Amino acid sequence: MSSEKKPVGFATHLTAGGIAGAMEALCCQPLDTIKVRMQLSRSGSLPGTKPRGFIATGVQIVQRETPLALYKGLGAVLSGIVPKMSIRFASFEAYKNFLADEETGKTSVGNIFISGLGAGITEAVAVVCPMEVVKIRLQAQMHSLADPQEVPQYRNAGHAVYKIIREEGFKALYRGVSLTALRQATNQGVNFTAYQELKKVAATLQPDVEQLPSYQHMLIGLISGAMGPFSNAPIDTIKTRLQKSPGIPGQSAYQRISAISLDMWRQEGYRAFYKGITPRVLRVAPGQAVVFAVYERVSRLMEKLQSSQGVEYSE
């Protein structure tokens, strides 16, 4: 089995990435909501309280707000998942091809990591940051969906975008963009590097297998996906708190980040920076397993379809 794949077109990245991202969102949104609530929670920092675990947090959400509350912010995620995934895979391939050796066409491990960093920054600025500002605002609302008289501040993703821009300005959608870019860069740098290298190992161990089966893509995606959250958990927690709150006039982004970090350290201790790490790993790791398995499967089907129609790939 060859470890080098022929480049595919934008339509393949768009379709495969979009389907993969939608499947990830539908499967993993409840864990993301629990993660956000844990990151925003101050339980354990107040006298007489203990830190609330991810199971207890999930149970509390269901009891107070109905099971549907676990899917708060799903509209914002789904509306951005297709461009996010298409940008992620398309930009990664573009950066990887640009950094490839001119003679051999191969990309070194270091340059694959750099390509992943570039893909993460690109998707963060283009899609992820504004999408997450809206998603977090929706997830942070602790209203009960079972009580129609309890009116939330934001009714849905579209209303949240409108209200945020009207009350706080367009720049509010990019609050925390530097932290988001840093998180996405480290995520995708680690993720793509680990995935590519593990694929090579799997191919070497199975020289007679032409294409790795989907379950192996899922397993490799699961392992590579788990590595990112541990490398940047503090960044993600600070980012969540920054994006949840309105900006303070006259305070720069650096000052706001510093104030949040210092307050967390003084009031809650170092463990506060790792709040939500369990549900985040439980969401990101299987999410990446779904993404890579679906992406590889759809890409392969589209390549076969294009080949059968006599479509030539451009180098």
Side-chain angles (χ1 to χ4, degrees):
M1 173 181 169
S2 175
S3 61
E4 294 298 316
K5 290 181 64 178
K6 292 182 179 180
V8 295
F10 178 78
T12 299
H13 292 300
L14 178 66
T15 305
I19 294 173
M23 290 297 295
E24 177 199 13
L26 291 170
C27 294
C28 303
Q29 182 66 9
L31 288 168
D32 187 70
T33 299
I34 294 171
K35 179 212 73 169
V36 167
R37 289 291 181 87
M38 289 181 69
Q39 290 177 331
L40 297 176
S41 172
R42 294 184 179 271
S43 63
S45 62
L46 300 176
T49 64
K50 295 181 179 180
R52 189 179 298 115
F54 76 95
I55 294 178
T57 301
V59 170
Q60 185 183 70
I61 293 172
V62 171
Q63 289 177 340
R64 292 183 178 181
E65 307 167 48
T66 79
L68 287 176
L70 293 171
Y71 284 90
K72 284 180 177 178
L74 180 62
V77 175
L78 288 175
S79 65
I81 205 73
V82 172
K84 170 187 171 180
M85 287 300 175
S86 63
I87 288 171
R88 173 183 297 180
F89 284 100
S91 61
F92 172 73
E93 290 295 333
Y95 295 138
K96 189 177 76 168
N97 290 336
F98 177 76
L99 294 172
D101 186 273
E102 294 183 0
E103 295 182 0
T104 64
K106 294 182 178 181
T107 309
S108 66
V109 176
N111 284 337
I112 286 177
F113 181 74
I114 293 173
S115 300
L117 292 178
I121 294 172
T122 302
E123 71 175 14
V125 174
V127 179
V128 177
C129 187
M131 179 185 74
E132 289 205 344
V133 169
V134 174
K135 174 183 71 71
I136 288 169
R137 295 292 182 93
L138 291 169
Q139 289 174 321
Q141 296 185 130
M142 299 187 185
H143 67 287
S144 174
L145 298 178
D147 184 0
Q149 300 301 316
E150 191 174 356
V151 181
Q153 182 181 6
Y154 307 113
R155 294 191 298 270
N156 50 50
H159 180 249
V161 171
Y162 169 76
K163 193 167 184 180
I164 290 170
I165 293 177
R166 188 187 67 180
E167 296 179 356
E168 303 173 47
F170 182 78
K171 288 184 178 179
L173 292 175
Y174 279 88
R175 184 167 295 130
V177 65
S178 58
L179 291 177
T180 304
L182 183 59
R183 185 200 65 183
Q184 293 303 111
T186 52
N187 265 350
Q188 301 317 319
V190 171
N191 193 15
F192 276 113
T193 303
Y195 184 77
Q196 295 280 332
E197 291 306 300
L198 288 172
K199 273 182 65 178
K200 291 179 183 178
V201 172
T204 302
L205 295 175
Q206 305 167 94
D208 297 330
V209 177
E210 185 177 352
Q211 292 283 353
L212 294 179
S214 293
Y215 81 88
Q216 291 188 18
H217 285 135
M218 290 192 72
L219 181 60
I220 294 171
L222 184 74
I223 296 171
S224 62
M227 295 180 178
F230 285 108
S231 68
N232 55 30
I235 297 171
D236 189 57
T237 303
I238 296 169
K239 176 199 70 68
T240 297
R241 296 199 180 192
L242 177 68
Q243 292 177 325
K244 186 259 181 181
S245 305
I248 299 175
Q251 190 178 52
S252 67
Y254 176 77
Q255 291 173 327
R256 182 68 174 146
I257 291 169
S258 300
I260 290 173
S261 303
L262 187 60
D263 181 67
M264 288 173 62
W265 179 266
R266 288 176 174 175
Q267 300 296 326
E268 304 170 67
Y270 76 92
R271 291 185 179 180
F273 293 94
Y274 287 88
K275 280 188 173 182
I277 185 64
T278 300
R280 187 176 174 219
V281 171
L282 290 176
R283 179 189 68 82
V284 173
Q288 290 306 302
V290 171
V291 164
F292 279 115
V294 174
Y295 178 82
E296 296 277 6
R297 184 68 175 175
V298 174
S299 296
R300 195 183 309 164
L301 290 174
M302 292 189 68
E303 289 173 21
K304 288 181 179 179
L305 179 62
Q306 291 176 340
S307 296
S308 66
Q309 295 175 344
V311 176
E312 295 292 333
Y313 293 103
S314 60
E315 295 296 330

